[in-house]
Amino acid sequence: MVRGRCVRIRTHPIIDFPKRKQLSFCFQKKRLVGEEGDTIASALHAAGIRTLTTSLKYDNPRGFFCGIGKCSSCLMRVNGIPNVRICIAPLKEGICVEMQDKLARLPVAEFFGEPTKTLDFDVLVVGAGPAGLCAALESASRNAPVLLVDENQCLGGQLVKQTHKFFGSREERAGTRGIDIAKDLECELHRLQREGKIQVMTDATVIGYYESKNRHRFGVVKRCEYKSRLYDVRCKAVILACGAMENMLLFPGNDLPGVYGAGAVQTLMNVYGVKPGDRVLMVGAGNVGLIVSYQLLQAGIMVDRVVEAAPVIGGYHVHAAKLRRCGVPIFTSHSIKEVYGDEKVEGAIVVKLDEQWKPVKGSEEDVPCDTICLAVGLTPSTRLLSQIGVDLEFIPEAGGYVALHDESMQTSVRGVYVAGDASGIEEASTAMIEGKIAGLAAAMQLGRIRKKNLLVQYQNQLSQLRAGPFGEKPRIAKEKIAKHVEIGHV
Amino acid sequence: MKRKSDVVIIGGGVNGCSIAYNLAKKGLDVVLFEKNYLAAGATGACGAGIRQQWSTRENALLAIQSVKIFERLNRILGQDIEFRQGGYLIAVHDSQGMEQAKKNVTMQRSLGLKVNILQPEEIPKVAAILDVNGMRVIGATFCPTDGHANPFKTTFAYAHAARNYGAEINTHTSVVGLKVAGKAIRTVVTDKGTIHTDVVVNAAGIDSKEIAKMAKVNLPLKPFRKEIMATERLAPLFEAMVISFKDGIYFSQQKEGQIVGGIPIPEETEGYKTMPTFAFLQHMSQTLTRYAPVLKHVNLLRHWTGFYDVTPDARPILGVVKDVKGFIQCNGFSGHGFMISPMVSKLLTDLIAEGKTSEVLESLSLDRFKGKVTEKELSVVG
């Protein structure tokens, strides 16, 4: 990619990317220009900057990887503040962005900490993606006051980049695009917010769970440059909808700038209208790999091929067929052997796998590309659950360690609920129903409502969504999860 | 798992593993049981500090000799344990504290330790981030050869070297019973089988009390939850460990750049509690930033708890017990087990392998609690 060349997407079949107000900022003492609504990462990428940091141990150049604030590969100094995750930090006029010389130095400016504030709610919802939003709406509309906390500037989680139409039943808005569902949910949320039933805290992190006699107690940090505030949050029930994080693959060169998680690629192009690269090699032919490949084509980006280590395509065939019609080959029983490039991705060596998933000698093929997109599965974000002390179990079908939970999404600790990918990797439609179940169950536990029928109705919807061959994996996962759970009375 | 051995060690913390290493090196047949993973208890939760500035002579001696071993430990064990000697700066806040500090320094110097008494204006020369006014100090003591090391790496290095000398280390194996006959240890029962032995070392941290009960020995140990935190990684800011006996705070910057430190919460009581508290979060951040205001900019990344196994005089219980032959104690460290482990394990090895006792072991035996008042260790933080 030639530096300075326009990588902004201006025409797109689904999303409108109007030219927005230009914001100028400083990067390594050079003046660059981004657009209003950018994150620092998207603005830098649009300006052709791919190397953001160097690795601590080997001094390798590093770009961002997850693009959604879950990894630590994009830490930079912003206005003197060290270790800022620039993939979720908004671009502002006149800010100064610097690469850290390995470990961060502290700023000279004075820090004005705001005094700790105590908040008391019926329900705390952590994460404002599809599961968290639905949980918050459900609890709040049953008159249980809700505090909704999210790390990002905007609500919707991963929905805000899902331009494809959802499958499933009409109740679950099949046929509607993820981005539109996010708008609808946000609209509903604002209504409840105006009625005083929900308080929303964005750009805030739930940092820990603390000892408490009869309620649950969390620490929340709301970020605000030199004026961050610590909140002491007490609640009767908590719904953890913290989502998941992208898996990484092991191969030489996997830390080169240009090796991105599928979520990062999708965020760059569908949320910020920035092309992740010009020629992409997609790794993984599950639904995420297939859908993101098609979305890359929609954004006018060349997808060289999709490689999939398994002998069969994992995602829906309708998605695979769409890709093939556009001339993108999908190679099953193929994987990535290594990625090469000086400072950034310049190509990859792809190799055929035999029946034992071992590389076939002599089958190596050199694929020139500037972006590697990894769509090789997700791992549930369970760290907060683990710290609370709920029973976790390693369930491969669920994506790794997950919190055991019952049919009402309650974990082994009373009043602690889980929903969405954090409860086992699935997709947005099921996440939304799980959120509703958790939100309703929490309100029922607090005595705000007695609608067992509605809970059963939601549970039936969930089973219907999981019916059919593609629901097999989550069905197995959820059966294992339900078999082991024992709700305590902590 | 072996059915018979010369010595069984209960507990895979730094003390258990270093004893296993020293005994195996002497050619003894050693089997170690750890109910969890190595360094899963107090060792892995600890603040990593290595201090020689104590109020009691025994602790000072153990620590001074331990530092001499720590200085060579990378070479001895063949692994980097990240030992660094940035010194310990002990804040002194009032005349009473200064009186005690001077007494301590006199005793420490008599043992050959190099310790200085600093004026307030000399403190920032040791650690520039410190704010003397915020610390509310009238002075400090500083020992440049104090320092810190990585407790995990130290334990793993000892365990690795012990295995090389033939020790058998069993993790995830719980001791569920001790069989005593004729006033002597005979058998150790675990959840994975039994083993015959004449010597058992009880190095199980706070669980040592339960282990001792299995041999009908009562240890005067009390569990205290201790909280500790680590910040994000930063470029090097200071080298010394900074502590205060009055405020209870301690903090240092580790090799990877994170600041690790702790403080007791004002209302803490004894008990087997493990959940972190919000009070610690507030108390620690307020005190830490009073000492070093620039740290207000730093994010706390982790916060965890561990146990101090506290004895009535805050000094460890080491060596033989009167009623059960072959039952060796190595517990009650009251928060200081890591820093004196190299010397403790040497002394206990001499005792077990050669029957050699020492003045320090005699004065730290369980018997000292019988009837008389013992000299209390005053230099305690956390």
Side-chain angles (χ1 to χ4, degrees):
Chain A
M1 190 174 63
V2 182
R3 183 169 286 195
R5 179 175 151 190
C6 184
V7 292
R8 296 273 175 189
I9 301 164
R10 292 297 173 210
T11 53
H12 193 283
I14 294 162
I15 320 165
D16 241 359
F17 287 118
K19 209 166 162 58
R20 293 163 299 181
K21 189 186 158 194
Q22 294 216 322
L23 300 177
S24 78
F25 67 106
C26 180
F27 167 73
Q28 299 291 81
K29 295 189 177 143
K30 278 199 299 274
R31 194 136 290 277
L32 296 179
V33 175
E35 291 187 3
E36 200 163 40
D38 268 334
T39 57
I40 297 172
S42 68
L44 283 176
H45 199 95
I49 311 290
R50 286 201 168 191
T51 299
L52 309 174
T53 58
T54 52
S55 68
L56 294 176
K57 203 165 171 186
Y58 298 114
D59 226 348
N60 289 340
R62 284 275 165 87
F64 60 85
F65 172 70
C66 81
I68 56 169
K70 298 239 178 187
C71 75
S72 58
S73 119
C74 69
L75 300 182
M76 298 183 88
R77 250 168 91 94
V78 178
N79 281 349
I81 299 169
N83 298 335
V84 175
R85 288 173 293 177
I86 60 148
C87 70
I88 56 169
L91 180 72
K92 287 181 189 148
E93 174 71 35
I95 58 167
C96 173
V97 181
E98 295 164 274
M99 284 171 75
Q100 296 183 163
D101 182 20
K102 298 202 164 200
L103 289 173
R105 279 171 295 121
L106 291 174
V108 193
E110 204 171 326
F111 183 95
F112 300 98
E114 301 278 334
T116 306
K117 242 189 185 173
T118 302
L119 295 176
D120 213 314
F121 282 86
D122 270 5
V123 182
L124 167 67
V125 179
V126 186
L133 279 174
C134 287
L137 292 174
E138 195 72 37
S139 286
S141 59
R142 313 292 170 198
N143 294 317
V146 171
L147 173 66
L148 175 63
V149 180
D150 195 276
E151 288 224 292
N152 295 281
Q153 304 286 325
C154 65
L155 303 172
Q158 310 311 307
L159 280 176
V160 300
K161 57 202 180 193
Q162 297 184 0
T163 53
H164 58 286
K165 291 178 179 171
F166 279 32
F167 290 169
S169 60
R170 187 174 304 154
E171 288 95 343
E172 292 328 306
R173 311 177 207 225
T176 312
R177 299 180 196 282
I179 42 174
D180 296 325
I181 295 175
K183 279 181 208 144
D184 292 351
L185 292 175
E186 202 177 336
C187 207
E188 217 174 312
L189 188 87
H190 289 319
R191 185 177 58 79
L192 289 166
Q193 221 177 338
R194 280 194 300 276
E195 290 172 18
K197 290 174 177 168
I198 293 187
Q199 189 175 323
V200 179
M201 210 188 271
T202 53
D203 202 9
T205 305
V206 179
I207 60 163
Y209 181 76
Y210 301 98
E211 187 179 61
S212 174
K213 282 213 176 71
N214 39 31
R215 317 192 119 206
H216 296 291
R217 191 173 183 185
F218 293 86
V220 180
V221 170
K222 164 92 181 143
R223 283 178 290 275
C224 185
E225 290 199 34
Y226 295 113
K227 277 189 269 184
S228 301
R229 190 198 284 272
L230 174 65
Y231 287 87
D232 178 356
V233 177
R234 331 272 176 101
C235 59
K236 293 177 189 150
V238 59
I239 299 165
L240 296 164
C242 320
M245 85 167 279
E246 206 93 50
N247 289 343
M248 175 45 105
L249 273 188
L250 287 176
F251 53 81
N254 68 357
D255 63 341
L256 272 177
V259 178
Y260 302 137
V265 164
Q266 214 182 12
T267 306
L268 261 189
M269 65 179 176
N270 291 352
V271 181
Y272 303 108
V274 174
K275 290 184 185 178
D278 289 327
R279 196 180 180 97
V280 178
L281 170 67
M282 179 66 67
V283 184
N287 273 330
V288 173
L290 298 175
I291 290 170
V292 174
S293 293
Y294 189 70
Q295 292 175 354
L296 280 161
L297 299 178
Q298 287 179 317
I301 299 156
M302 158 91 182
V303 179
D304 186 277
R305 66 187 67 190
V306 179
V307 293
E308 166 61 57
V312 291
I313 291 169
Y316 293 145
H317 289 289
V318 54
H319 294 314
K322 266 160 92 181
L323 267 187
R324 283 186 169 135
R325 273 202 301 276
C326 297
V328 177
I330 302 171
F331 292 90
T332 52
S333 291
H334 275 71
S335 188
I336 195 161
K337 191 182 168 200
E338 65 172 272
V339 169
Y340 60 86
D342 180 24
E343 302 276 309
K344 60 179 195 285
V345 173
E346 287 167 16
I349 307 294
V350 164
V351 68
K352 191 172 162 48
L353 303 178
D354 67 15
E355 279 160 16
Q356 275 78 49
W357 296 53
K358 296 257 158 38
V360 176
K361 260 198 179 151
S363 69
E364 288 87 356
E365 190 183 342
D366 188 344
V367 179
C369 56
D370 62 4
T371 305
I372 310 291
C373 184
L374 297 181
V376 291
L378 299 155
T379 300
S381 291
T382 52
R383 280 166 291 191
L384 200 50
L385 286 153
S386 160
Q387 200 232 320
I388 292 171
V390 310
D391 291 341
L392 296 170
E393 200 162 298
F394 190 85
I395 296 176
E397 293 86 352
Y401 277 99
V402 280
L404 299 178
H405 58 82
D406 64 10
E407 278 205 317
S408 69
M409 305 309 292
Q410 189 170 207
T411 67
S412 62
V413 176
R414 194 170 155 75
V416 177
Y417 296 81
V418 67
D421 274 353
S423 75
I425 303 301
E426 247 179 302
E427 30 99 33
S429 316
T430 47
M432 288 190 283
I433 310 185
E434 285 188 340
K436 284 184 184 177
I437 293 173
L440 183 61
M444 282 167 68
Q445 186 196 316
L446 303 179
R448 301 289 182 209
I449 184 182
R450 282 188 204 154
K451 274 205 179 171
K452 274 213 161 145
N453 292 347
L454 186 58
L455 196 64
V456 172
Q457 189 191 317
Y458 287 157
Q459 284 159 351
N460 287 340
Q461 283 176 23
L462 199 55
S463 323
Q464 276 163 26
L465 270 178
R466 287 183 190 136
F470 284 99
E472 195 189 345
K473 214 159 111 177
R475 273 204 312 276
I476 295 172
K478 292 292 176 180
E479 273 164 25
K480 285 187 182 176
I481 287 168
K483 207 158 83 188
H484 296 289
V485 69
E486 277 174 46
I487 310 290
H489 296 274
V490 182
Chain B
M1 196 180 109
K2 282 182 188 165
R3 294 289 162 227
K4 197 177 179 314
S5 75
D6 296 335
V7 183
V8 167
I9 298 165
I10 305 171
V14 68
N15 277 290
C17 291
S18 58
I19 295 170
Y21 161 76
N22 281 298
L23 286 171
K25 196 179 170 190
K26 289 217 169 197
L28 272 78
D29 199 8
V30 181
V31 174
L32 183 147
F33 296 114
E34 162 57 48
K35 72 167 178 179
N36 212 323
Y37 52 89
L38 295 182
T43 298
C46 86
I50 295 167
R51 158 159 68 99
Q52 303 162 92
Q53 302 178 67
W54 295 94
S55 77
T56 60
R57 193 166 173 272
E58 291 81 10
N59 271 347
L61 265 176
L62 283 171
I64 290 168
Q65 287 158 345
S66 290
V67 164
K68 292 208 170 86
I69 300 172
F70 270 122
E71 285 169 347
R72 294 178 291 128
L73 210 49
N74 281 353
R75 248 195 355 254
I76 296 171
L77 301 178
Q79 288 187 32
D80 183 13
I81 61 156
E82 295 173 4
F83 177 59
R84 295 202 309 171
Q85 287 171 294
Y88 252 67
L89 184 120
I90 303 177
V92 181
H93 303 276
D94 47 37
S95 54
Q96 201 190 339
M98 187 51 89
E99 205 178 301
Q100 182 64 41
K102 282 179 176 161
K103 232 167 94 184
N104 293 352
V105 168
T106 309
M107 181 271 293
Q108 291 153 8
R109 281 179 179 161
S110 77
L111 300 176
L113 191 67
K114 194 171 170 266
V115 198
N116 300 320
I117 294 177
L118 305 183
Q119 296 303 312
E121 60 271 19
E122 293 173 289
I123 290 175
K125 285 181 203 154
V126 173
I129 62 162
L130 293 178
D131 173 16
V132 176
N133 293 327
M135 290 169 78
R136 299 173 200 146
V137 284
I138 60 161
T141 66
F142 182 68
C143 170
T145 54
D146 286 345
H148 55 86
N150 184 321
F152 287 98
K153 292 193 172 174
T154 308
T155 308
F156 299 161
Y158 268 126
H160 183 78
R163 283 192 178 110
N164 283 348
Y165 280 113
E168 181 188 293
I169 294 176
N170 301 290
T171 59
H172 303 95
T173 309
S174 294
V175 171
V176 294
L178 295 175
K179 286 186 185 160
V180 179
K183 287 196 168 186
I185 283 279
R186 302 286 178 205
T187 308
V188 176
V189 186
T190 77
D191 57 357
K192 292 187 181 150
T194 58
I195 179 166
H196 300 291
T197 184
D198 293 335
V199 181
V200 167
V201 180
N202 184 10
I206 191 56
D207 294 327
S208 299
K209 197 180 168 78
E210 283 302 307
I211 296 288
K213 264 190 198 161
M214 296 173 187
K216 299 204 168 54
V217 172
N218 182 36
L219 297 180
L221 298 182
K222 284 183 180 171
F224 276 88
R225 168 179 59 188
K226 295 290 166 178
E227 299 183 69
I228 176 165
M229 58 106 225
T231 69
E232 61 194 325
R233 295 164 77 171
L234 301 160
L237 283 168
F238 61 108
E239 289 184 356
M241 172 79 89
V242 179
I243 71 174
S244 159
F245 301 133
K246 191 176 180 211
D247 291 325
I249 193 171
Y250 64 90
F251 61 96
S252 69
Q253 189 174 22
Q254 306 290 298
K255 190 188 170 200
E256 295 90 353
Q258 74 276 37
I259 290 161
V260 170
I263 198 166
I265 54 169
E267 62 270 26
E268 187 67 289
T269 52
E270 73 167 276
Y272 290 93
K273 293 170 281 188
T274 54
M275 190 56 83
T277 68
F278 198 84
F280 171 85
L281 188 66
Q282 289 183 296
H283 191 42
M284 181 68 195
S285 41
Q286 277 159 9
T287 313
L288 181 64
T289 54
R290 177 156 70 74
Y291 274 58
V294 71
L295 297 183
K296 285 179 181 174
H297 290 286
V298 180
N299 288 305
L300 185 147
L301 281 196
R302 287 180 288 132
H303 168 188
W304 65 96
T305 66
F307 286 115
Y308 276 15
D309 47 351
V310 178
T311 61
D313 59 7
R315 298 191 295 161
I317 301 170
L318 301 177
V320 296
V321 295
K322 227 178 184 172
D323 301 327
V324 186
K325 193 171 168 251
F327 193 34
I328 308 294
Q329 302 310 310
C330 178
N331 47 58
F333 287 100
S334 309
H336 313 115
F338 173 61
M339 55 181 86
I340 55 177
S341 58
M343 198 56 207
V344 163
S345 56
K346 269 217 139 87
L347 292 179
L348 291 179
T349 297
D350 289 347
L351 176 73
I352 294 164
E354 287 150 33
K356 224 163 68 184
T357 186
S358 55
E359 181 207 342
V360 171
L361 281 189
E362 293 291 321
S363 66
L364 293 177
S365 77
L366 179 61
D367 271 354
R368 72 178 185 276
F369 298 112
K370 282 190 182 148
K372 50 187 175 174
V373 180
T374 55
E375 187 194 355
K376 199 172 159 74
E377 175 57 61
L378 302 170
S379 303
V380 177
V381 286

